[in-house]
Amino acid sequence: MRDYIAPILLSFCAFNMANAGQVEVLHYWTSGGEAAALDVLKAQMTADGHEWLDFKVEGGGGGNANAELQDHVLRGDPPTAALIKGLDIQRWARLGFLANLDELAQNQNWANLLPNEVANVMQHNGQYVAVPVNVHRVNWLWANKSILDKLNIVAPKTWSEFDQAAEKIRAAGYQVIAQGDQDWQHATLFETIALSVGGPRFYKDAFVDHIFNTKNNKIMAQVFERYYKVLSYADLSWVDEWPDATANVIKGEAAFQVMGDWAKGEFTNANKQPNQDYFCLPVPETQNMFLFNIDSFAMFNLKKSSSEDQLAQQALARNIMGEPFQKAFNLTKGSIPVRTDMSMASFDFCSQYSMSEFLTASEQQTLLPSIAHGMATTGTVQGYFLERLGELTRTPLEPDRAAKELTKAIRYGQYIIR
Ligand code: BGC
């Protein structure tokens, strides 16, 4: 057997070696579920004969990745691709650092495969400069099923049901809601509450268009009131990192976590099944609404690189948009595919639910970009928002004062020119 296989393997390798290039990929996918999902891409690139150089930056939510990237690009040493999202893509494209992917997009027919909301984010001046990986939904409430069952709690759909559940859970000695003390995690919780309490119109006014008037200021105060109430059920000194908070829910130490569906990657990685071990529930009062967060790899100009490396970059982008990757990766990562032509039959309950909520929200105009995850506004506004919200979380103020402070920070971010 071996004797037959060896020459075939050799000629396969010889073919691949001739075209072998390197891809250096900057990312911050370091948790168990995230790393397992990225392995799908690494394996595809290696099978194509290319070498994968892993440029891993620690820090959930991408906190430190931008600084690293900036440092490398300005030194004239850009990676092949970097995990950057939303308006950050526009910034790098505007500065002329990103490669034009139009030819590949045309060959793979991206225009007919991608929803408009996704395609718009990947293009700059009508040219594709980044490849979308997935669509994450942010407004999820993850719940440990055995805690709810034991305490006879029905999955909460409203905040008043949530409060009743929370009291029971607390009285039984469990942590109600697991939350790491990091600005972006607070923003993740806060934006879902803003959508829930304020509704889609308020959310867009505040975080996309930054329209603040008397009515919106009042709503922002109500958002803080609910936010502080939810936080009163959390102990921020318990964990820092989001996968540790998810682990608390998986292990049955905490009942809930509000987190995007990358948390589902952790449940999957721990061999847990939806509706048997855990529930994926829309954050109370956000049914049919969808806060989206699209992961994407921007491709950098590799003018000084070999033609093999440029081919490898093309292969990377092509693989990401390919059906096998979209399926295997998203099954592991917890998100849904970006391609609209894929069957969801082999996906689990949460992914199918997410897809159906995505389509409904898209029709009902309740599909909105996440500010916590860089989809809604500029990095500068987002930065001021995150920082001030972090302070208002650790040192709470009266809700209407907190509302004024946060609005001021968003306004300030708008005036800064960078
Ligand atoms: C990213 C996800 C990632 C999460 C935690 C989000 O901003 O979009 O891909 O899993 O942060 O690091």
Side-chain angles (χ1 to χ4, degrees):
M1 226 8 213
R2 280 181 112 196
D3 291 342
Y4 290 106
I5 286 176
I8 298 171
L9 272 182
L10 269 180
S11 59
F12 175 75
C13 291
F15 167 78
N16 275 322
M17 292 306 283
N19 296 286
Q22 279 185 339
V23 288
E24 188 186 27
V25 182
L26 183 150
H27 67 94
Y28 44 90
W29 284 335
T30 54
S31 80
E34 291 172 333
L38 191 63
D39 279 347
V40 173
L41 190 56
K42 289 184 189 172
Q44 281 190 337
M45 291 304 289
T46 316
D48 286 354
H50 300 298
E51 191 186 351
W52 177 283
L53 301 178
D54 206 41
F55 187 167
K56 183 162 75 182
V57 183
E58 296 296 330
N64 309 321
N66 250 333
E68 281 280 346
L69 179 62
Q70 200 151 311
D71 193 47
H72 275 250
V73 175
L74 297 184
R75 271 195 280 129
D77 179 26
T80 312
L83 176 57
I84 44 180
K85 305 187 297 186
L87 290 178
D88 266 348
I89 297 174
Q90 306 301 319
R91 191 164 63 97
W92 286 109
R94 217 172 32 243
L95 296 170
F97 288 114
L98 299 189
N100 181 346
L101 303 174
D102 274 355
E103 203 179 313
L104 178 67
Q106 223 160 29
N107 291 340
Q108 280 187 314
N109 199 13
W110 294 10
N112 287 324
L113 295 178
L114 297 177
N116 285 342
E117 291 86 357
V118 178
N120 291 343
V121 182
M122 303 304 132
Q123 288 171 314
H124 176 72
N125 287 344
Q127 283 178 2
Y128 281 101
V129 290
V131 203
V133 173
N134 60 3
V135 181
H136 273 303
R137 186 190 197 192
V138 182
N139 51 315
W140 282 120
L141 176 70
W142 304 94
N144 178 294
K145 182 170 182 293
S146 72
I147 299 182
L148 299 201
D149 286 351
K150 205 185 287 169
L151 302 177
N152 255 324
I153 293 172
V154 180
K157 287 203 173 71
T158 62
W159 286 114
S160 95
E161 287 172 7
F162 177 87
D163 290 343
Q164 285 166 30
E167 294 302 337
K168 273 196 192 172
I169 294 162
R170 185 152 65 183
Y174 297 102
Q175 171 94 329
V176 177
I177 186 153
Q179 166 93 0
D181 190 4
Q182 291 176 338
D183 293 350
W184 73 268
Q185 291 187 58
H186 300 322
T188 300
L189 174 63
F190 187 83
E191 69 175 16
T192 66
I193 293 179
L195 177 65
S196 161
V197 171
R201 177 68 201 270
F202 164 78
Y203 183 96
K204 186 162 178 288
D205 273 6
F207 300 140
V208 180
D209 301 327
H210 311 313
I211 299 171
F212 294 104
N213 47 35
T214 320
K215 185 170 158 227
N216 285 344
N217 290 343
K218 252 199 203 139
I219 300 176
M220 190 64 101
Q222 289 161 4
V223 173
F224 267 102
E225 208 166 299
R226 174 37 67 189
Y227 177 63
Y228 285 144
K229 172 91 182 166
V230 173
L231 281 180
S232 73
Y233 297 119
D235 179 353
L236 296 186
S237 67
W238 209 352
V239 290
D240 287 330
E241 300 294 331
W242 70 270
D244 299 333
T246 312
N248 285 344
V249 180
I250 293 176
K251 286 186 283 186
E253 292 166 4
F256 299 119
Q257 181 187 21
V258 170
M259 190 47 66
D261 41 22
W262 45 95
K264 202 193 76 186
E266 301 305 296
F267 285 97
T268 308
N269 203 37
N271 277 322
K272 301 291 178 196
Q273 305 300 326
N275 299 336
Q276 279 174 35
D277 304 304
Y278 68 96
F279 294 122
C280 46
L281 311 165
V283 163
E285 299 170 38
T286 67
Q287 291 80 6
N288 295 334
M289 302 178 195
F290 194 116
L291 278 186
F292 70 82
N293 170 22
I294 303 164
D295 284 321
S296 46
F297 283 102
M299 299 290 154
F300 279 78
N301 270 326
L302 299 175
K303 292 203 179 99
K304 287 187 237 151
S305 299
S306 66
S307 58
E308 285 84 3
D309 288 352
Q310 296 188 6
L311 281 174
Q313 185 184 54
Q314 290 284 315
L316 182 70
R318 194 170 46 243
N319 278 333
I320 292 174
M321 272 298 287
E323 219 175 317
F325 169 81
Q326 286 286 325
K327 183 169 164 190
F329 175 87
N330 284 303
L331 277 170
T332 317
K333 184 74 164 58
S335 34
I336 54 174
V338 283
R339 291 175 60 137
T340 49
D341 63 336
M342 282 178 54
S343 157
M344 293 298 287
S346 55
F347 282 79
D348 65 20
F349 169 82
C350 300
S351 302
Q352 290 175 0
Y353 190 14
S354 187
M355 182 58 99
S356 96
E357 293 274 271
F358 178 80
L359 297 173
T360 310
S362 172
E363 257 172 43
Q364 298 184 353
Q365 276 147 38
T366 53
L367 180 65
L368 289 152
S370 159
I371 181 167
H373 297 276
M375 297 282 122
T377 185
T378 64
T380 311
V381 173
Q382 184 200 8
Y384 280 97
F385 164 77
L386 289 178
E387 193 185 347
R388 197 72 190 101
L389 182 68
E391 289 161 4
L392 293 164
T393 303
R394 287 179 277 271
T395 317
L397 299 180
E398 280 303 311
D400 34 338
R401 272 200 54 210
K404 277 194 197 117
E405 290 296 318
L406 192 66
T407 306
K408 223 195 297 174
I410 292 176
R411 283 244 161 86
Y412 193 76
Q414 280 182 281
Y415 299 141
I416 301 275
I417 299 169
R418 263 198 204 148

